[in-house]
PDB file of all heavy atoms in Angstrom:
ATOM      1  N   VAL A   9     179.215 -27.070 -73.883  1.00 40.00           N
ATOM      2  CA  VAL A   9     178.109 -26.117 -73.388  1.00 40.00           C
ATOM      3  C   VAL A   9     176.709 -27.034 -72.948  1.00 40.00           C
ATOM      4  O   VAL A   9     176.264 -26.733 -71.940  1.00 40.00           O
ATOM      5  CB  VAL A   9     177.743 -25.097 -74.355  1.00 40.00           C
ATOM      6  CG1 VAL A   9     176.444 -24.365 -73.939  1.00 40.00           C
ATOM      7  CG2 VAL A   9     178.950 -24.208 -74.373  1.00 40.00           C
ATOM      8  N   VAL A  10     176.444 -27.917 -73.770  1.00 41.00           N
ATOM      9  CA  VAL A  10     175.155 -28.772 -73.512  1.00 41.00           C
ATOM     10  C   VAL A  10     175.406 -29.525 -72.239  1.00 41.00           C
ATOM     11  O   VAL A  10     174.423 -29.608 -71.401  1.00 41.00           O
ATOM     12  CB  VAL A  10     174.926 -29.756 -74.698  1.00 41.00           C
ATOM     13  CG1 VAL A  10     173.866 -30.736 -74.359  1.00 41.00           C
ATOM     14  CG2 VAL A  10     174.495 -28.909 -75.959  1.00 41.00           C
ATOM     15  N   ALA A  11     176.599 -30.149 -72.193  1.00 44.00           N
ATOM     16  CA  ALA A  11     176.824 -30.989 -70.945  1.00 44.00           C
ATOM     17  C   ALA A  11     176.733 -30.166 -69.678  1.00 44.00           C
ATOM     18  O   ALA A  11     176.168 -30.537 -68.671  1.00 44.00           O
ATOM     19  CB  ALA A  11     178.209 -31.613 -71.054  1.00 44.00           C
ATOM     20  N   VAL A  12     177.332 -28.989 -69.728  1.00 40.00           N
ATOM     21  CA  VAL A  12     177.347 -28.016 -68.457  1.00 40.00           C
ATOM     22  C   VAL A  12     175.938 -27.598 -68.210  1.00 40.00           C
ATOM     23  O   VAL A  12     175.569 -27.586 -67.106  1.00 40.00           O
ATOM     24  CB  VAL A  12     178.213 -26.793 -68.775  1.00 40.00           C
ATOM     25  CG1 VAL A  12     178.058 -25.751 -67.585  1.00 40.00           C
ATOM     26  CG2 VAL A  12     179.843 -27.215 -68.786  1.00 40.00           C
ATOM     27  N   THR A  13     175.296 -27.180 -69.239  1.00 42.00           N
ATOM     28  CA  THR A  13     173.918 -26.748 -69.118  1.00 42.00           C
ATOM     29  C   THR A  13     173.036 -27.760 -68.395  1.00 42.00           C
ATOM     30  O   THR A  13     172.315 -27.687 -67.519  1.00 42.00           O
ATOM     31  CB  THR A  13     173.308 -26.438 -70.472  1.00 42.00           C
ATOM     32  OG1 THR A  13     173.946 -25.353 -71.094  1.00 42.00           O
ATOM     33  CG2 THR A  13     171.836 -25.953 -70.303  1.00 42.00           C
ATOM     34  N   ALA A  14     173.178 -29.258 -68.938  1.00 42.00           N
ATOM     35  CA  ALA A  14     172.539 -30.307 -68.387  1.00 42.00           C
ATOM     36  C   ALA A  14     172.872 -30.470 -66.773  1.00 42.00           C
ATOM     37  O   ALA A  14     172.053 -30.683 -65.944  1.00 42.00           O
ATOM     38  CB  ALA A  14     172.857 -31.642 -69.120  1.00 42.00           C
ATOM     39  N   LEU A  15     174.069 -30.334 -66.531  1.00 40.00           N
ATOM     40  CA  LEU A  15     174.631 -30.485 -65.111  1.00 40.00           C
ATOM     41  C   LEU A  15     173.994 -29.430 -64.199  1.00 40.00           C
ATOM     42  O   LEU A  15     173.476 -29.622 -63.070  1.00 40.00           O
ATOM     43  CB  LEU A  15     176.115 -30.410 -64.978  1.00 40.00           C
ATOM     44  CG  LEU A  15     176.877 -31.632 -65.488  1.00 40.00           C
ATOM     45  CD1 LEU A  15     178.287 -31.421 -65.508  1.00 40.00           C
ATOM     46  CD2 LEU A  15     176.484 -32.878 -64.595  1.00 40.00           C
ATOM     47  N   VAL A  16     173.831 -28.152 -64.687  1.00 39.00           N
ATOM     48  CA  VAL A  16     173.253 -27.023 -63.997  1.00 39.00           C
ATOM     49  C   VAL A  16     171.807 -27.312 -63.774  1.00 39.00           C
ATOM     50  O   VAL A  16     171.229 -27.075 -62.710  1.00 39.00           O
ATOM     51  CB  VAL A  16     173.592 -25.722 -64.712  1.00 39.00           C
ATOM     52  CG1 VAL A  16     172.768 -24.710 -64.088  1.00 39.00           C
ATOM     53  CG2 VAL A  16     175.069 -25.341 -64.720  1.00 39.00           C
ATOM     54  N   ALA A  17     171.174 -27.903 -64.821  1.00 41.00           N
ATOM     55  CA  ALA A  17     169.726 -27.989 -64.709  1.00 41.00           C
ATOM     56  C   ALA A  17     169.481 -29.105 -63.704  1.00 41.00           C
ATOM     57  O   ALA A  17     168.484 -29.005 -62.775  1.00 41.00           O
ATOM     58  CB  ALA A  17     169.201 -28.523 -66.112  1.00 41.00           C
ATOM     59  N   VAL A  18     170.340 -30.195 -63.594  1.00 38.00           N
ATOM     60  CA  VAL A  18     170.058 -31.259 -62.710  1.00 38.00           C
ATOM     61  C   VAL A  18     170.304 -30.662 -61.290  1.00 38.00           C
ATOM     62  O   VAL A  18     169.584 -30.938 -60.371  1.00 38.00           O
ATOM     63  CB  VAL A  18     171.039 -32.465 -62.972  1.00 38.00           C
ATOM     64  CG1 VAL A  18     171.000 -33.403 -61.796  1.00 38.00           C
ATOM     65  CG2 VAL A  18     170.665 -33.162 -64.248  1.00 38.00           C
ATOM     66  N   ALA A  19     171.317 -29.845 -61.067  1.00 40.00           N
ATOM     67  CA  ALA A  19     171.651 -29.368 -59.776  1.00 40.00           C
ATOM     68  C   ALA A  19     170.484 -28.506 -59.362  1.00 40.00           C
ATOM     69  O   ALA A  19     170.098 -28.560 -58.231  1.00 40.00           O
ATOM     70  CB  ALA A  19     172.912 -28.568 -59.822  1.00 40.00           C
ATOM     71  N   ALA A  20     169.984 -27.603 -60.249  1.00 39.00           N
ATOM     72  CA  ALA A  20     168.976 -26.710 -59.849  1.00 39.00           C
ATOM     73  C   ALA A  20     167.701 -27.405 -59.592  1.00 39.00           C
ATOM     74  O   ALA A  20     166.973 -27.058 -58.636  1.00 39.00           O
ATOM     75  CB  ALA A  20     168.712 -25.645 -61.018  1.00 39.00           C
ATOM     76  N   ALA A  21     167.435 -28.408 -60.194  1.00 40.00           N
ATOM     77  CA  ALA A  21     166.301 -29.274 -59.976  1.00 40.00           C
ATOM     78  C   ALA A  21     166.235 -29.887 -58.667  1.00 40.00           C
ATOM     79  O   ALA A  21     165.202 -30.147 -57.907  1.00 40.00           O
ATOM     80  CB  ALA A  21     166.029 -30.373 -61.019  1.00 40.00           C
ATOM     81  N   SER A  22     167.442 -30.130 -58.132  1.00 39.00           N
ATOM     82  CA  SER A  22     167.607 -31.029 -56.787  1.00 39.00           C
ATOM     83  C   SER A  22     167.620 -30.147 -55.695  1.00 39.00           C
ATOM     84  O   SER A  22     167.226 -30.489 -54.629  1.00 39.00           O
ATOM     85  CB  SER A  22     169.088 -31.724 -56.812  1.00 39.00           C
ATOM     86  OG  SER A  22     170.077 -30.918 -56.915  1.00 39.00           O
ATOM     87  N   LEU A  23     167.826 -28.768 -55.912  1.00 37.00           N
ATOM     88  CA  LEU A  23     167.914 -27.866 -54.826  1.00 37.00           C
ATOM     89  C   LEU A  23     166.614 -27.688 -54.039  1.00 37.00           C
ATOM     90  O   LEU A  23     166.599 -27.793 -52.668  1.00 37.00           O
ATOM     91  CB  LEU A  23     168.290 -26.427 -55.236  1.00 37.00           C
ATOM     92  CG  LEU A  23     169.787 -26.286 -55.593  1.00 37.00           C
ATOM     93  CD1 LEU A  23     170.013 -24.937 -56.147  1.00 37.00           C
ATOM     94  CD2 LEU A  23     170.601 -26.480 -54.252  1.00 37.00           C
ATOM     95  N   PRO A  24     165.478 -27.605 -54.691  1.00 40.00           N
ATOM     96  CA  PRO A  24     164.208 -27.511 -53.919  1.00 40.00           C
ATOM     97  C   PRO A  24     163.900 -28.720 -53.182  1.00 40.00           C
ATOM     98  O   PRO A  24     163.412 -28.599 -51.945  1.00 40.00           O
ATOM     99  CB  PRO A  24     163.150 -27.403 -54.993  1.00 40.00           C
ATOM    100  CG  PRO A  24     163.916 -26.748 -56.147  1.00 40.00           C
ATOM    101  CD  PRO A  24     165.271 -27.331 -56.099  1.00 40.00           C
ATOM    102  N   LEU A  25     164.244 -29.948 -53.631  1.00 35.00           N
ATOM    103  CA  LEU A  25     163.956 -31.192 -52.840  1.00 35.00           C
ATOM    104  C   LEU A  25     164.931 -31.208 -51.674  1.00 35.00           C
ATOM    105  O   LEU A  25     164.368 -31.598 -50.620  1.00 35.00           O
ATOM    106  CB  LEU A  25     164.328 -32.343 -53.815  1.00 35.00           C
ATOM    107  CG  LEU A  25     164.093 -33.681 -53.294  1.00 35.00           C
ATOM    108  CD1 LEU A  25     162.562 -33.923 -52.651  1.00 35.00           C
ATOM    109  CD2 LEU A  25     164.397 -34.849 -54.098  1.00 35.00           C
ATOM    110  N   THR A  26     166.179 -30.871 -51.756  1.00 39.00           N
ATOM    111  CA  THR A  26     167.029 -30.800 -50.645  1.00 39.00           C
ATOM    112  C   THR A  26     166.567 -29.917 -49.468  1.00 39.00           C
ATOM    113  O   THR A  26     166.593 -30.080 -48.380  1.00 39.00           O
ATOM    114  CB  THR A  26     168.495 -30.431 -51.137  1.00 39.00           C
ATOM    115  OG1 THR A  26     168.855 -31.396 -52.122  1.00 39.00           O
ATOM    116  CG2 THR A  26     169.383 -30.455 -49.925  1.00 39.00           C
ATOM    117  N   ALA A  27     166.303 -28.627 -50.020  1.00 41.00           N
ATOM    118  CA  ALA A  27     165.618 -27.601 -49.080  1.00 41.00           C
ATOM    119  C   ALA A  27     164.335 -28.170 -48.461  1.00 41.00           C
ATOM    120  O   ALA A  27     164.264 -27.884 -47.230  1.00 41.00           O
ATOM    121  CB  ALA A  27     165.425 -26.360 -49.873  1.00 41.00           C
TER     122      ALA A  27
END
Side-chain angles (χ1 to χ4, degrees):
V9 169
V10 170
V12 170
T13 301
L15 287 172
V16 171
V18 169
S22 67
L23 283 174
L25 180 58
T26 302

